[in-house]
Amino acid sequence: MKQIVPALLPAILLIVLVSVLAPDGNIKNDWFRFIGGFHPLVVHFPIALILFIPVFEIVGHFNTGLNIKPSVEIIIKVALLASIIAPLFGWALAWGDGFSGGIVTSHMWAGVLVPLACGILLLTHQKNWGLLYVIMLTATIGLVSWTGFLGGQLAHGRTHLTAHMPDNLREILGIEKPVSIALADPNTFFGGRVAPIFAARCVTCHGPDKIKGKLRLDSYALLTAGGANGPVIAPGNSDTSELYRRITLPIFHDEFMPAEGDPALSEDEIKLIALWIDQGASPDVTPDAIEGAPVFDTASLPVEVVVPDYDPVAAAADRAELANAVVEIQEKFPHILTYVSRNTGDLDLNATMMRGNFGDTEFALFEPVLGRIVRADLTATSITDQSAPLLLRMSNTTTLRLNQTTIGENLVLELSNLSSLKSLNLLGITISNDTKTLLTQVENLDHLYME
Amino acid sequence: MTLEEELKREALKAHTRRDFLTGCTGALGSLFMANAGVSSAFAAETNPAGPIDFPRNPSSPLSPLPPQFAPKARRVIFMHMAGAPSNLDLFDYKPELERLNGLDTPASFLEGKTFAFIRGVPKLLGPVYPFKQHGESGAWLSDRLPHLSDHVDDICFIKSMRTEQFNHAPAQLLMQTGETRAGFPSIGSWATYGLGTENQNLPGFMVMLSGGNSPSGGTQLWNNGFLPSVYQGVNTRSEGEPVLYLNNPDGVTRPIRRRMLDSLNRLNQANYAEYGNPETITRIAQYEMAYRMQMEATDVLDNRQESQKTRDAYGIEPGKGSFANNCLRARRLVERGVRFVQLYHWGWDTHGDSKASAINEGFKDRCREVDQPIAALLTDLKQRGLLEDTLVVWSSEFGRTPMQENRGGREMAFIGRDHNPNAFTIWMAGGGAKGGVNYGKTDDMGYEIAENPVEVRDFHATMLHLLGFDHHKLTYPFQGLDNKLTRVRPARVIGELLA
């Protein structure tokens, strides 16, 4: 009796406490919430101590020289003490911070049973009941692990251990991939657009497993039922809706949601919720019934940029046919004829660098490569209508700059119909209004520059 | 010592112990590798995924080379507002901050933060100027940029830039060179190294300063770093002769200059024949370019050749060096085929410690100095068909705090904001950047990034992408590393910004 009372009494008192003052989902005095905040910190002491017991037993069994077995009793005693303190903090957290829900209850009961198990473990150790002691030790460790697992689910969500399990391991263990619970009909505005926001951002704390402030957001009925302070939405009026007020407070405000340092809902998400409330917060309206609702499924996703890899072999093959002709021209006119890129045989003609020194005679020498020139800048060169037959053969040219040349408007009109042309620059060329009208009607052109 | 003896001595000095040792081992090694057939493994032809080489004739180090893939931007005008303008009073509208104007800053904003000048608990400072939405894209701009607001649909705003430095010089270096320390090539150097330049009579990378002071990063901001010196930015003066020592001295005619250069070139050629140092050839090329520049540079930088109407559009006051002047020059330069033009405008460090640096005073002047010229530049480029393939960048080194600066913990006479490296706004236009985009978000206070953060290296990777390069491929071997502008941490091309 002298041993039984101190071993079991505190545990029993703890059980009485949590039965009488069971957490009811209402937020209480700040002192409870403050003390409760230490629960995740304190809780690791009993866990570590209890796990020390088998380590000492096993090591002591095989290595008698160390003589560590006598320490086991004191470890069990300290573990017992720690396992009484930790649930006290936990109770303060759940009681003070307004927790309720399935996992909260399971976690709490598992937690308050730990000191009881520790007390019995201590007795079986003191009485030297070998087999019973081993069984009790196994049971205590199992109970502690289970409690810890439930605690993890509360803090990090129900699937915190299995969410990122590799698929092949999942198959072996027969664990199904977690699927998001269908909250409501996805073919309604609420089910398809609003509920997914709640599911992603709110339900960890306002769902079946953990219910803070008596509010659950995992179904329409529960949402409209409201929380500890009454309804959270006022259909038709987002401004007087508590839920809307909470998510739009300044991020450092005490009552801001999501709490605990989680980032705010995005502007689009907030707008979407506001629109839905303003339009009556109906569970049935169709997804496209609310005008101006922001769309954010694909638009905000990052756009990955893929570029063709540098491939000199392919480029050389593409250039082979005209390679000699290009080299010849480049020697005659340095720096003005270049390949568009390392990966192609397409050419870029930049004759404007020669200004007036580039005319019809010079252009004629480019005859062999005309078909591969995709960009031709002839700005301020002395090229004239004499080059018309050559210019009209530039069927792959997408950009043609003829500004400040003396090309006539008839040729310009013909050139505007070059099959690949996208951009044509005619600034400084005198063009009649009739021709201008015709030019603006050319469909291919994305850019047309005229005086 | 006679001249001949001295020459012999100099020649001997050129062969150092280090040269000898390098020759020994290097030559032996290459003999082995040639023998073992290793050398062919280094040739690009057999190694498609390898680095890109930039082969050039040493006598024309700036000759144009094609980029890796077809580029969207062929040239760049990069405007840097030195001193860091307030993003919160120009582009990043924060109604929530406006509501909380004048309240004490919450402790959570100050914990663990270091500020240049803010001490104790400062007051929150809402937008100082009214904001309005503009264009079809609905971009928010304050009333300080009335001209620019007509162009928002051509502009791609990045409102979620952040940097690692909260002091001007290192932050400017990071923005311009990708490193916070001196000694690394700036973007313009990389661009001219990779692409050369179209006009062989002008430098490929030109820099112009305005605002009365040089940026605090100094000449390192347009330095070539470890790239050959020919790729460094050429700084032109905004008043007086644009390029110093370009004009012939009195009594020296152009033919005399030609003869002088020819003699100099013969000497340099002899030196090259003896030592084979390619930098000698580069030097000859530089002299030749300077000679050609005598004709072209003076001409291209002369804004008086533009019509009065154009000069008025930019807001140029005759005979005064200004940002407006430089904007018009920038257009004239890119039009003539200069690859990279860098404009710095000084005076944006609006701490509020004096009238000139107050957001309610000097800041207004700075805005007036740049707003009309930038808008005119965009109009001009667009009208001439140059915006299609000219990338215009407006940037700075960091942003400013949503708190009013309280230097030494005391309230100050003028309104100012301290440095904020955690969030700032920059923008791009033309050259393949997507117009009408407002990318990224800061939090309700404009204090930190809330959505889509963009690091400086991400922005650099995006710029190089527009110029036709995968940022991994534009490299230069130095100190055992294939160096690149984006340095060593992973960088992302922001696909959302590309047209």
Side-chain angles (χ1 to χ4, degrees), chain B residues 96-124:
Chain B
E96 185 67 21
L97 183 61
E98 195 162 29
R99 213 166 61 79
L100 300 174
N101 180 41
L103 298 182
D104 277 351
T105 306
S108 58
F109 275 40
L110 306 169
E111 276 161 16
K113 289 280 184 334
T114 320
F115 297 97
F117 293 104
I118 282 178
R119 298 288 176 269
V121 180
K123 303 265 191 258
L124 291 171

mmCIF file of all heavy atoms in Angstrom, chain B residues 96-124:
data_model
loop_
_atom_site.group_PDB
_atom_site.id
_atom_site.type_symbol
_atom_site.label_atom_id
_atom_site.label_comp_id
_atom_site.label_asym_id
_atom_site.label_seq_id
_atom_site.Cartn_x
_atom_site.Cartn_y
_atom_site.Cartn_z
ATOM 1 N N GLU B 96 -4.215 48.758 -47.462
ATOM 2 C CA GLU B 96 -4.201 48.379 -46.051
ATOM 3 C C GLU B 96 -3.183 49.230 -45.290
ATOM 4 O O GLU B 96 -3.438 49.685 -44.172
ATOM 5 C CB GLU B 96 -3.830 46.887 -45.956
ATOM 6 C CG GLU B 96 -3.889 46.302 -44.563
ATOM 7 C CD GLU B 96 -5.304 46.245 -43.999
ATOM 8 O OE1 GLU B 96 -6.263 46.284 -44.772
ATOM 9 O OE2 GLU B 96 -5.423 46.187 -42.765
ATOM 10 N N LEU B 97 -2.061 49.487 -45.936
ATOM 11 C CA LEU B 97 -1.032 50.325 -45.324
ATOM 12 C C LEU B 97 -1.538 51.758 -45.183
ATOM 13 O O LEU B 97 -1.262 52.442 -44.196
ATOM 14 C CB LEU B 97 0.239 50.278 -46.190
ATOM 15 C CG LEU B 97 1.461 51.035 -45.682
ATOM 16 C CD1 LEU B 97 1.916 50.499 -44.341
ATOM 17 C CD2 LEU B 97 2.604 50.950 -46.691
ATOM 18 N N GLU B 98 -2.324 52.188 -46.162
ATOM 19 C CA GLU B 98 -2.913 53.524 -46.127
ATOM 20 C C GLU B 98 -3.810 53.655 -44.895
ATOM 21 O O GLU B 98 -3.799 54.661 -44.197
ATOM 22 C CB GLU B 98 -3.733 53.726 -47.400
ATOM 23 C CG GLU B 98 -4.107 55.157 -47.702
ATOM 24 C CD GLU B 98 -4.506 55.316 -49.167
ATOM 25 O OE1 GLU B 98 -5.008 54.347 -49.778
ATOM 26 O OE2 GLU B 98 -4.296 56.419 -49.694
ATOM 27 N N ARG B 99 -4.576 52.593 -44.612
ATOM 28 C CA ARG B 99 -5.498 52.573 -43.488
ATOM 29 C C ARG B 99 -4.752 52.647 -42.156
ATOM 30 O O ARG B 99 -5.231 53.234 -41.197
ATOM 31 C CB ARG B 99 -6.312 51.264 -43.545
ATOM 32 C CG ARG B 99 -7.732 51.358 -43.033
ATOM 33 C CD ARG B 99 -8.519 50.121 -43.450
ATOM 34 N NE ARG B 99 -7.978 48.883 -42.912
ATOM 35 C CZ ARG B 99 -8.182 48.449 -41.662
ATOM 36 N NH1 ARG B 99 -8.900 49.168 -40.834
ATOM 37 N NH2 ARG B 99 -7.660 47.313 -41.250
ATOM 38 N N LEU B 100 -3.577 52.030 -42.106
ATOM 39 C CA LEU B 100 -2.836 51.944 -40.849
ATOM 40 C C LEU B 100 -1.793 53.052 -40.730
ATOM 41 O O LEU B 100 -0.981 53.055 -39.810
ATOM 42 C CB LEU B 100 -2.152 50.578 -40.754
ATOM 43 C CG LEU B 100 -3.107 49.388 -40.781
ATOM 44 C CD1 LEU B 100 -2.347 48.087 -40.841
ATOM 45 C CD2 LEU B 100 -4.021 49.400 -39.558
ATOM 46 N N ASN B 101 -1.814 53.986 -41.682
ATOM 47 C CA ASN B 101 -0.859 55.088 -41.692
ATOM 48 C C ASN B 101 -0.788 55.773 -40.328
ATOM 49 O O ASN B 101 -1.810 56.108 -39.733
ATOM 50 C CB ASN B 101 -1.293 56.093 -42.764
ATOM 51 C CG ASN B 101 -0.346 57.269 -42.841
ATOM 52 O OD1 ASN B 101 0.867 57.081 -42.764
ATOM 53 N ND2 ASN B 101 -0.902 58.450 -42.993
ATOM 54 N N GLY B 102 0.410 55.958 -39.797
ATOM 55 C CA GLY B 102 0.583 56.703 -38.556
ATOM 56 C C GLY B 102 0.560 55.850 -37.305
ATOM 57 O O GLY B 102 0.904 56.325 -36.223
ATOM 58 N N LEU B 103 0.156 54.567 -37.437
ATOM 59 C CA LEU B 103 0.155 53.700 -36.247
ATOM 60 C C LEU B 103 1.562 53.181 -35.978
ATOM 61 O O LEU B 103 2.399 53.120 -36.876
ATOM 62 C CB LEU B 103 -0.785 52.516 -36.463
ATOM 63 C CG LEU B 103 -2.257 52.857 -36.676
ATOM 64 C CD1 LEU B 103 -3.080 51.579 -36.825
ATOM 65 C CD2 LEU B 103 -2.782 53.687 -35.502
ATOM 66 N N ASP B 104 1.797 52.774 -34.743
ATOM 67 C CA ASP B 104 3.084 52.160 -34.410
ATOM 68 C C ASP B 104 3.250 50.848 -35.182
ATOM 69 O O ASP B 104 2.299 50.090 -35.343
ATOM 70 C CB ASP B 104 3.153 51.853 -32.906
ATOM 71 C CG ASP B 104 3.578 53.088 -32.128
ATOM 72 O OD1 ASP B 104 3.971 54.077 -32.786
ATOM 73 O OD2 ASP B 104 3.514 53.059 -30.885
ATOM 74 N N THR B 105 4.452 50.605 -35.639
ATOM 75 C CA THR B 105 4.733 49.365 -36.356
ATOM 76 C C THR B 105 4.653 48.188 -35.393
ATOM 77 O O THR B 105 5.256 48.236 -34.325
ATOM 78 C CB THR B 105 6.132 49.428 -36.976
ATOM 79 O OG1 THR B 105 6.210 50.599 -37.773
ATOM 80 C CG2 THR B 105 6.404 48.217 -37.835
ATOM 81 N N PRO B 106 3.901 47.124 -35.753
ATOM 82 C CA PRO B 106 3.823 45.975 -34.856
ATOM 83 C C PRO B 106 5.197 45.340 -34.639
ATOM 84 O O PRO B 106 6.034 45.333 -35.558
ATOM 85 C CB PRO B 106 2.899 45.003 -35.586
ATOM 86 C CG PRO B 106 2.558 45.602 -36.872
ATOM 87 C CD PRO B 106 3.114 46.967 -36.966
ATOM 88 N N ALA B 107 5.389 44.796 -33.443
ATOM 89 C CA ALA B 107 6.698 44.255 -33.075
ATOM 90 C C ALA B 107 7.145 43.150 -34.031
ATOM 91 O O ALA B 107 8.329 43.004 -34.320
ATOM 92 C CB ALA B 107 6.648 43.712 -31.653
ATOM 93 N N SER B 108 6.150 42.391 -34.563
ATOM 94 C CA SER B 108 6.525 41.257 -35.421
ATOM 95 C C SER B 108 7.249 41.720 -36.683
ATOM 96 O O SER B 108 7.956 40.963 -37.317
ATOM 97 C CB SER B 108 5.277 40.470 -35.801
ATOM 98 O OG SER B 108 4.357 41.310 -36.461
ATOM 99 N N PHE B 109 7.045 42.987 -37.060
ATOM 100 C CA PHE B 109 7.722 43.528 -38.238
ATOM 101 C C PHE B 109 9.193 43.826 -37.952
ATOM 102 O O PHE B 109 10.001 43.918 -38.855
ATOM 103 C CB PHE B 109 7.070 44.839 -38.675
ATOM 104 C CG PHE B 109 5.891 44.652 -39.567
ATOM 105 C CD1 PHE B 109 4.978 43.643 -39.334
ATOM 106 C CD2 PHE B 109 5.687 45.505 -40.645
ATOM 107 C CE1 PHE B 109 3.883 43.478 -40.154
ATOM 108 C CE2 PHE B 109 4.591 45.341 -41.474
ATOM 109 C CZ PHE B 109 3.689 44.339 -41.227
ATOM 110 N N LEU B 110 9.489 44.049 -36.679
ATOM 111 C CA LEU B 110 10.813 44.571 -36.344
ATOM 112 C C LEU B 110 11.733 43.501 -35.793
ATOM 113 O O LEU B 110 12.950 43.647 -35.851
ATOM 114 C CB LEU B 110 10.671 45.707 -35.319
ATOM 115 C CG LEU B 110 9.702 46.834 -35.736
ATOM 116 C CD1 LEU B 110 9.429 47.757 -34.568
ATOM 117 C CD2 LEU B 110 10.246 47.620 -36.910
ATOM 118 N N GLU B 111 11.122 42.417 -35.278
ATOM 119 C CA GLU B 111 11.935 41.369 -34.664
ATOM 120 C C GLU B 111 12.918 40.777 -35.657
ATOM 121 O O GLU B 111 12.544 40.381 -36.758
ATOM 122 C CB GLU B 111 11.028 40.247 -34.151
ATOM 123 C CG GLU B 111 10.466 40.524 -32.775
ATOM 124 C CD GLU B 111 9.233 39.670 -32.486
ATOM 125 O OE1 GLU B 111 9.002 38.682 -33.200
ATOM 126 O OE2 GLU B 111 8.498 40.032 -31.552
ATOM 127 N N GLY B 112 14.159 40.719 -35.262
ATOM 128 C CA GLY B 112 15.169 40.063 -36.073
ATOM 129 C C GLY B 112 15.531 40.800 -37.341
ATOM 130 O O GLY B 112 16.193 40.265 -38.208
ATOM 131 N N LYS B 113 15.047 42.038 -37.497
ATOM 132 C CA LYS B 113 15.325 42.796 -38.711
ATOM 133 C C LYS B 113 16.434 43.816 -38.447
ATOM 134 O O LYS B 113 16.526 44.371 -37.344
ATOM 135 C CB LYS B 113 14.061 43.524 -39.180
ATOM 136 C CG LYS B 113 13.009 42.578 -39.729
ATOM 137 C CD LYS B 113 13.367 42.201 -41.133
ATOM 138 C CE LYS B 113 12.400 41.346 -41.892
ATOM 139 N NZ LYS B 113 11.498 40.463 -41.254
ATOM 140 N N THR B 114 17.262 44.035 -39.449
ATOM 141 C CA THR B 114 18.281 45.077 -39.341
ATOM 142 C C THR B 114 17.919 46.179 -40.327
ATOM 143 O O THR B 114 17.578 45.903 -41.463
ATOM 144 C CB THR B 114 19.665 44.526 -39.732
ATOM 145 O OG1 THR B 114 19.780 43.218 -39.210
ATOM 146 C CG2 THR B 114 20.757 45.405 -39.200
ATOM 147 N N PHE B 115 17.991 47.400 -39.861
ATOM 148 C CA PHE B 115 17.717 48.519 -40.744
ATOM 149 C C PHE B 115 18.943 49.408 -40.834
ATOM 150 O O PHE B 115 19.777 49.429 -39.927
ATOM 151 C CB PHE B 115 16.537 49.344 -40.218
ATOM 152 C CG PHE B 115 15.257 48.573 -40.164
ATOM 153 C CD1 PHE B 115 14.840 47.980 -38.988
ATOM 154 C CD2 PHE B 115 14.480 48.422 -41.296
ATOM 155 C CE1 PHE B 115 13.665 47.248 -38.933
ATOM 156 C CE2 PHE B 115 13.308 47.694 -41.257
ATOM 157 C CZ PHE B 115 12.895 47.112 -40.070
ATOM 158 N N ALA B 116 19.027 50.138 -41.938
ATOM 159 C CA ALA B 116 20.145 51.057 -42.085
ATOM 160 C C ALA B 116 20.020 52.176 -41.043
ATOM 161 O O ALA B 116 20.973 52.529 -40.368
ATOM 162 C CB ALA B 116 20.188 51.626 -43.495
ATOM 163 N N PHE B 117 18.815 52.735 -40.870
ATOM 164 C CA PHE B 117 18.669 53.900 -39.997
ATOM 165 C C PHE B 117 17.531 53.815 -38.990
ATOM 166 O O PHE B 117 17.543 54.496 -37.987
ATOM 167 C CB PHE B 117 18.481 55.173 -40.843
ATOM 168 C CG PHE B 117 19.703 55.517 -41.635
ATOM 169 C CD1 PHE B 117 19.756 55.266 -42.996
ATOM 170 C CD2 PHE B 117 20.813 56.063 -41.007
ATOM 171 C CE1 PHE B 117 20.902 55.574 -43.720
ATOM 172 C CE2 PHE B 117 21.956 56.372 -41.739
ATOM 173 C CZ PHE B 117 22.003 56.126 -43.087
ATOM 174 N N ILE B 118 16.511 53.011 -39.265
ATOM 175 C CA ILE B 118 15.362 52.960 -38.360
ATOM 176 C C ILE B 118 15.800 52.429 -36.996
ATOM 177 O O ILE B 118 16.525 51.440 -36.908
ATOM 178 C CB ILE B 118 14.244 52.082 -38.961
ATOM 179 C CG1 ILE B 118 13.492 52.860 -40.036
ATOM 180 C CG2 ILE B 118 13.294 51.588 -37.887
ATOM 181 C CD1 ILE B 118 12.396 52.086 -40.721
ATOM 182 N N ARG B 119 15.361 53.112 -35.936
ATOM 183 C CA ARG B 119 15.645 52.668 -34.566
ATOM 184 C C ARG B 119 14.329 52.670 -33.788
ATOM 185 O O ARG B 119 13.439 53.463 -34.090
ATOM 186 C CB ARG B 119 16.636 53.598 -33.872
ATOM 187 C CG ARG B 119 18.006 53.680 -34.536
ATOM 188 C CD ARG B 119 18.830 52.404 -34.329
ATOM 189 N NE ARG B 119 20.093 52.478 -35.043
ATOM 190 C CZ ARG B 119 20.272 52.052 -36.290
ATOM 191 N NH1 ARG B 119 19.272 51.525 -36.978
ATOM 192 N NH2 ARG B 119 21.454 52.151 -36.874
ATOM 193 N N GLY B 120 14.253 51.810 -32.767
ATOM 194 C CA GLY B 120 13.069 51.788 -31.911
ATOM 195 C C GLY B 120 11.837 51.366 -32.691
ATOM 196 O O GLY B 120 11.909 50.524 -33.564
ATOM 197 N N VAL B 121 10.710 51.978 -32.357
ATOM 198 C CA VAL B 121 9.445 51.625 -33.018
ATOM 199 C C VAL B 121 9.022 52.753 -33.954
ATOM 200 O O VAL B 121 8.556 53.799 -33.503
ATOM 201 C CB VAL B 121 8.340 51.355 -31.976
ATOM 202 C CG1 VAL B 121 7.039 50.984 -32.684
ATOM 203 C CG2 VAL B 121 8.767 50.236 -31.035
ATOM 204 N N PRO B 122 9.168 52.576 -35.260
ATOM 205 C CA PRO B 122 8.756 53.617 -36.200
ATOM 206 C C PRO B 122 7.252 53.566 -36.455
ATOM 207 O O PRO B 122 6.583 52.611 -36.075
ATOM 208 C CB PRO B 122 9.522 53.250 -37.466
ATOM 209 C CG PRO B 122 9.682 51.767 -37.380
ATOM 210 C CD PRO B 122 9.727 51.404 -35.922
ATOM 211 N N LYS B 123 6.743 54.609 -37.088
ATOM 212 C CA LYS B 123 5.322 54.641 -37.465
ATOM 213 C C LYS B 123 5.154 54.062 -38.871
ATOM 214 O O LYS B 123 6.035 54.216 -39.718
ATOM 215 C CB LYS B 123 4.823 56.092 -37.487
ATOM 216 C CG LYS B 123 5.024 56.814 -36.163
ATOM 217 C CD LYS B 123 3.780 56.747 -35.327
ATOM 218 C CE LYS B 123 3.855 57.666 -34.122
ATOM 219 N NZ LYS B 123 4.173 56.914 -32.888
ATOM 220 N N LEU B 124 4.012 53.413 -39.120
ATOM 221 C CA LEU B 124 3.716 52.957 -40.471
ATOM 222 C C LEU B 124 3.432 54.169 -41.356
ATOM 223 O O LEU B 124 2.866 55.158 -40.900
ATOM 224 C CB LEU B 124 2.509 52.018 -40.461
ATOM 225 C CG LEU B 124 2.757 50.655 -39.802
ATOM 226 C CD1 LEU B 124 1.446 49.902 -39.658
ATOM 227 C CD2 LEU B 124 3.755 49.836 -40.613
#
